[in-house]
Amino acid sequence: EDQNKKSPKRKIVLLMAYSGKGYHGMQRNVGSSQFKTIEDDLVSALVQSGCIPENHGEDMKKMSFQRCARTDKGVSAAGQIVSLKVRLIDDILEKINNHLPSHIRILGLKRVTGGFNSKNKCDARTYSYMLPTFAFAHKDHDVQEEVYRLDKETLEKVNKLLACYKGTHNFHNFTSQKGPKDPSAKRYIMEMYCGEPFVRENIEFAVIKVKGQSFMMHQIRKMIGLVIAIVKGYAAESIIERSWGEEKVDVPKAPGLGLVLERVHFEKYNRRFGNDGLHEPLEWTEEEEKIAVFKEQHIYPTIINTEREEKSMANWLNTLSIHDFNSSAV
């Protein structure tokens, strides 16, 4: 206790990994305890380990808390970053992790400048989306079950469509609560592609990677949902171009299960402060191994097992026929 009170408060960032199943996203909703979030468990561990006083748990502004990305309900992360002021106690990471469930881990810590804000200083975010490849099986002439295997031509088509998203576009149709005239609906996508398929437990999966400056709620799931609808033969390729126009387009939202926040990028901050002799660049090469192990132990098995048990992708694919891809959405 005494040591805790004497420890100076410092601005740090924590590198976090978590499996989001069963949580209502990352961001804490103070006052609504029935929806458990990742931050509820994190704040409780910070208080119990003695890094922050108890009253900072109730009012997160007191510790200048900021997350890099608000992940949605059920979404996981392998490289989430939060910035906050803590007492730098001995064995801080071990103590915090002792109070966290095994599916939430703090994998790294770095000191940052006093005015650092992980959300504002982050200049790009990379997400991955792991899905069973039968999501790309054509509705009329492919088998729709887990025995489906993705062929080279279909993968090329998927990648051609995903590449259409690169650049700056008006994504108002890919989120709720934003109109076509809202300037914040314009977003910049740096890369988006689907990797080679692989088989786990007799189901073939593939991983889509997307790197962008920032994303709106549901945006990535809708970007992927629309490509699936085109590849399966429910919608014409021209719908992507149309969705950036002013009219309202019915864009289906793929399940949250496969979405993972892979890493967040601080290129500008690193150039300015990374080598100033006082601060380290916010890069996590030494933690890569721990991140990979966490994904293998907690994230991928959860996605695979949930897919097998709850069939979230298969059930969602059955709803695609209800969408009207031709007329403007009402």
Side-chain angles (χ1 to χ4, degrees), residues 66 152 256 258:
Q66 190 54 259
K152 200 161 153 271

Side-chain angles (χ1 to χ4, degrees), residues 55-299:
N55 64 341
H56 288 201
E58 279 102 68
D59 181 2
M60 292 167 79
K61 283 196 206 75
K62 287 191 171 143
M63 54 172 163
S64 311
F65 186 92
Q66 190 54 259
R67 73 208 59 80
C68 227
R70 279 196 307 253
T71 51
D72 294 341
K73 178 184 174 186
V75 175
S76 298
Q80 168 77 283
I81 298 282
V82 299
S83 54
L84 65 159
K85 281 193 174 131
V86 296
R87 301 180 181 125
L88 280 179
I89 56 176
D90 297 336
D91 308 320
I92 181 167
L93 290 192
E94 196 185 328
K95 283 176 182 158
I96 300 171
N97 280 326
N98 284 344
H99 294 287
L100 283 169
S102 61
H103 56 264
I104 304 179
R105 291 288 94 179
I106 306 296
L107 301 178
L109 175 152
K110 289 187 194 291
R111 288 276 303 273
V112 284
T113 55
F116 185 86
N117 172 319
S118 60
K119 187 177 166 209
N120 302 347
K121 289 279 185 279
C122 174
D123 35 32
R125 296 153 176 89
T126 297
Y127 281 84
S128 68
Y129 188 85
M130 181 170 164
L131 76 174
T133 57
F134 63 74
F136 297 127
H138 196 281
K139 68 179 171 70
D140 300 328
H141 43 72
D142 282 330
V143 52
Q144 298 296 310
E145 276 95 55
E146 296 172 356
V147 292
Y148 174 84
R149 295 295 179 257
L150 186 65
D151 59 55
K152 200 161 153 271
E153 290 74 39
T154 310
L155 180 58
E156 278 169 13
K157 182 176 182 179
V158 168
N159 274 319
K160 192 183 105 196
L161 292 166
L162 292 173
C164 296
Y165 287 122
K166 288 203 284 202
T168 301
H169 303 286
N170 185 338
F171 284 101
H172 73 96
N173 273 309
F174 293 80
T175 188
S176 47
Q177 300 123 8
K178 283 204 198 291
K181 299 266 198 281
D182 189 331
S184 70
K186 282 208 166 77
R187 299 288 159 133
Y188 173 52
I189 306 297
M190 296 152 187
E191 62 174 2
M192 192 164 188
Y193 62 91
C194 181
E196 291 291 328
F198 52 92
V199 176
R200 291 282 174 94
E201 301 192 24
N202 301 328
I203 308 177
E204 186 180 67
F205 286 89
V207 174
I208 293 172
K209 284 264 174 80
V210 55
K211 181 180 180 183
Q213 235 168 13
S214 59
F215 298 94
M216 298 176 288
M217 188 172 173
H218 301 154
Q219 183 186 337
I220 297 172
R221 288 163 62 188
K222 283 187 170 249
M223 289 163 77
I224 291 167
L226 195 57
V227 166
I228 291 173
I230 297 168
V231 177
K232 286 195 93 65
Y234 287 104
E237 286 191 26
S238 57
I239 193 168
I240 295 189
E241 290 287 331
R242 215 175 85 219
S243 70
W244 296 323
E246 301 233 325
E247 64 168 316
K248 189 98 178 77
V249 174
D250 186 359
V251 178
K253 177 177 77 196
L257 174 68
L259 191 59
V260 180
L261 173 62
E262 286 285 335
R263 57 182 309 168
V264 288
H265 308 265
F266 296 96
E267 283 136 24
K268 283 196 202 83
Y269 173 87
N270 287 345
R271 280 200 295 274
R272 188 159 169 215
F273 297 106
N275 300 306
D276 65 358
L278 296 169
H279 304 96
E280 305 169 83
L282 295 182
E283 282 158 2
W284 308 93
T285 29
E286 286 167 30
E287 287 74 17
E288 293 289 345
E289 176 100 353
K290 282 194 261 183
I291 294 171
V293 168
F294 185 88
K295 286 200 280 201
E296 287 298 335
Q297 286 179 348
H298 295 281
I299 296 179

